[in-house]
Amino acid sequence: MEFNRLIGEKNNMSHRIDIIISDGTKDNVNVDLSFQNFNSLPTSTGSSITQSGRLLSLDIFRGLTVVLMTFVEYAGGIYPSVNHSPWNGITLADFVMPFFLFIVGVSLALAYKNLSCRLIATRKAIYRGIKLFIIGLFLQGGYFHGFGDLTYGVDIVNIRWMGILQRIAISFLVASICEIWLQATNFRVNSGRSLLKKYRLQCAMTIMVTVIYLSLFYGLYVPDWEYQISSSKTEIFSVKCGVRGDTGPACNAVGMINRKILGIRHLYTRPIYGRLKECSVNSPSNGPLPPNAPSWCQAPFDPEGLLSSLMAIVTCFIGLHYGHVIVNIKDHKHRIQQWLIPSSSLVLLGVICEYCFGMHLNKALYSFSYMCVTAGAAGFLFTSVYVMVDVWGYLKYWTIVLKWMGKNALLIYVLVSCNILLVILQGFYWKRPENNILRLIGIGH
């Protein structure tokens, strides 16, 4: 899930910020979730900082995430256990988005470690966040009709406002503004406690966002609601709710806020819960509705909605903390300690919330427990790659492909996850659209 142009800060930090994942060069705005060129990163002897100033382990971690994204994109349709969980629970595919958000946070901390003008940096961050949001709107708003359809264009009345890139744009923008303005300057860090003290305002912001999410999610009253599906202009489906704190597909606060603010016509029309046993005879795959299926089975639901994006922002904040460790702590051993402690704590907290408090792991809702487990897993994986690459020096010369994928994450996301490559190729055909290149090589039969 993700992107290629976003930030370039010229003053004392010439790096390109790839908003889904990379680490840039010069002031050439690039939205790649990466943030390239970390000039004079504080590192221990032996750290794999390349001549361009890039942290090699972050490039490789980003590349591994792109590989995971590509794998689950195609294997998920064959192996349901790899595909996104239909509702509660977590699968391999459910780690991709949090990993990207975590990488954005780490990259932002490195990109903004030296700021000469906060106002200029803020203006550029806003500009690039808006740019990424617009790119996401273009790719996932319904303009492209997907594989098997040579038409394009979208009715503004039904455009999908939110999506993967839009969520990352929002998270990036909030995290970057906090990183620019909410940190103590000229503050000496000599321990984990002093590190938290330096960024205490960001810690407070993280707690505040989490409290807002939990308060709205469990406190809002969800009334009964109705909807129509596009194929049925006359039939109205009624969904009975009248509850608070429900975590099911029909009556949760995440869906209600999306319907009230975004509008039900602007939500994702192929909800993930359509693969549940109650909604599909082929569960856990998509299929026809079973007899007596619940009325909500065909209702639009956006997994990248407004309320759930608050937890995505928190994941970005956690990535920021890991980046702060790199910037402020020079010793390998202490860096690893400062990463393993929060990683272990997050995973443990997520498991406790799941099994002791009934706060289920749920990607569609971006539940608190899901955020904890996936952010902790991202921390463990990043630490492992850092140890192997930057501490032990392994894999340095065996990861050219991963580095390339990390640097070009947005391009790969657009071509693979958005199926733009397939849409382009199917446009070349012989006499009839059915006789296209994809059919010739066996795709689309």
Side-chain angles (χ1 to χ4, degrees):
M1 314 176 159
E2 301 55 326
F3 355 159
N4 209 340
R5 285 186 183 221
L6 197 68
I7 274 194
E9 199 27 91
K10 220 175 187 178
N11 324 297
N12 277 338
M13 57 181 244
S14 42
H15 17 217
R16 180 181 85 188
I17 291 180
D18 305 332
I19 219 187
I20 177 172
I21 352 216
S22 206
D23 317 297
T25 49
K26 299 244 173 167
D27 210 48
N28 303 343
V29 174
N30 262 359
V31 194
D32 250 2
L33 280 194
S34 73
F35 301 59
Q36 306 174 359
N37 244 6
F38 312 137
N39 298 346
S40 62
L41 280 175
T43 57
S44 300
T45 303
S47 287
S48 298
I49 303 299
T50 64
Q51 292 181 351
S52 63
R54 299 171 65 93
L55 184 63
L56 186 56
S57 56
L58 187 60
D59 273 340
I60 293 174
F61 180 32
R62 186 181 303 111
L64 286 171
T65 306
V66 173
V67 170
L68 177 61
M69 174 189 71
T70 306
F71 172 73
V72 300
E73 182 70 26
Y74 291 105
I78 302 173
Y79 307 105
S81 59
V82 173
N83 201 357
H84 291 291
S85 173
W87 196 247
N88 292 330
I90 193 169
T91 66
L92 192 61
D94 295 325
F95 286 94
V96 176
M97 166 68 84
F99 281 10
F100 278 139
L101 291 165
F102 177 90
I103 291 170
V104 171
V106 176
S107 302
L108 277 171
L110 301 176
Y112 288 129
K113 78 183 183 71
N114 291 320
L115 282 174
S116 61
C117 181
R118 291 181 173 181
L119 288 176
I120 293 176
T122 301
R123 190 185 72 238
K124 290 184 177 182
I126 294 172
Y127 170 72
R128 282 148 198 161
I130 293 174
K131 179 189 292 187
L132 183 61
F133 190 94
I134 293 173
I135 292 174
L137 203 60
F138 177 70
L139 293 175
Q140 297 184 299
Y143 185 83
F144 293 103
H145 295 174
F147 176 63
D149 193 338
L150 293 182
T151 64
Y152 62 90
V154 60
D155 185 349
I156 301 298
V157 173
N158 299 312
I159 191 172
R160 182 189 176 196
W161 293 120
M162 297 297 290
I164 294 171
L165 291 181
Q166 295 94 309
R167 166 169 283 178
I168 293 179
I170 293 170
S171 302
F172 159 78
L173 184 57
V174 174
S176 61
I177 297 300
C178 289
E179 179 65 8
I180 292 169
W181 292 98
L182 300 183
Q183 62 172 295
T185 57
N186 301 320
F187 192 98
R188 182 178 177 80
V189 174
N190 50 29
S191 66
R193 180 174 296 180
S194 61
L195 180 67
L196 292 176
K197 189 173 181 180
K198 178 178 180 178
Y199 298 100
R200 59 189 179 278
L201 293 179
Q202 293 187 16
C203 294
M205 179 66 73
T206 303
I207 295 172
M208 185 182 73
V209 172
T210 302
V211 169
I212 291 173
Y213 170 85
L214 293 175
S215 300
L216 293 176
F217 185 85
Y218 290 103
L220 283 180
Y221 175 80
V222 181
D224 300 342
W225 54 283
E226 299 177 339
Y227 74 95
Q228 289 180 308
I229 55 177
S230 57
S231 59
S232 176
K233 298 297 183 181
T234 57
E235 187 174 5
I236 297 177
F237 296 86
S238 298
V239 181
K240 300 296 182 182
C241 292
V243 294
R244 299 180 193 272
D246 189 85
T247 60
C251 301
N252 59 80
V254 171
M256 184 196 70
I257 289 177
N258 290 337
R259 292 190 297 272
K260 295 291 185 181
I261 298 178
L262 298 177
I264 198 166
R265 288 190 172 189
H266 300 286
L267 305 182
Y268 189 53
T269 57
R270 289 174 290 175
I272 190 70
Y273 51 68
R275 293 170 35 225
L276 286 170
K277 182 169 61 175
E278 298 94 322
C279 300
S280 172
V281 296
N282 297 329
S283 179
S285 299
N286 287 304
L289 288 171
N292 302 318
S295 59
W296 46 262
C297 278
Q298 300 177 82
F301 180 89
D302 210 314
E304 284 83 39
L306 297 175
L307 182 58
S308 55
S309 290
L310 294 181
M311 284 292 97
I313 292 171
V314 172
T315 301
C316 230
F317 282 146
I318 292 172
L320 269 178
H321 173 73
Y322 284 68
H324 294 154
V325 171
I326 298 175
V327 171
N328 293 278
I329 297 177
K330 296 178 170 52
D331 180 66
H332 284 318
K333 179 180 178 181
H334 289 129
R335 283 181 178 176
I336 294 169
Q337 288 177 344
Q338 293 303 317
W339 287 334
L340 290 180
I341 292 173
S343 297
S344 304
S345 301
L346 283 167
V347 172
L348 180 61
L349 179 59
V351 172
I352 291 174
C353 289
E354 163 76 18
Y355 292 103
C356 298
F357 298 104
M359 300 171 68
H360 301 296
L361 297 168
N362 190 301
K363 176 190 178 294
L365 301 176
Y366 216 119
S367 63
F368 177 73
S369 58
Y370 168 78
M371 182 278 296
C372 290
V373 169
T374 53
F380 277 127
L381 182 56
F382 175 64
T383 304
S384 301
V385 174
Y386 178 84
V387 170
M388 288 189 292
V389 176
D390 290 326
V391 179
W392 294 343
Y394 297 162
L395 306 176
K396 281 187 181 181
Y397 307 107
W398 301 92
T399 53
I400 296 175
V401 174
L402 289 177
K403 287 194 294 182
W404 179 87
M405 295 181 77
K407 294 176 183 178
N408 296 276
L410 178 59
L411 175 63
I412 296 172
Y413 170 78
V414 170
L415 294 179
V416 176
S417 287
C418 294
N419 289 326
I420 299 301
L421 180 60
L422 298 182
V423 170
I424 293 173
L425 289 178
Q426 73 178 359
F428 295 92
Y429 58 86
W430 176 256
K431 293 186 177 179
R432 293 186 303 169
E434 294 79 13
N435 301 326
N436 58 60
I437 293 177
L438 296 180
R439 293 293 180 90
L440 180 65
I441 60 178
I443 298 177
H445 287 293

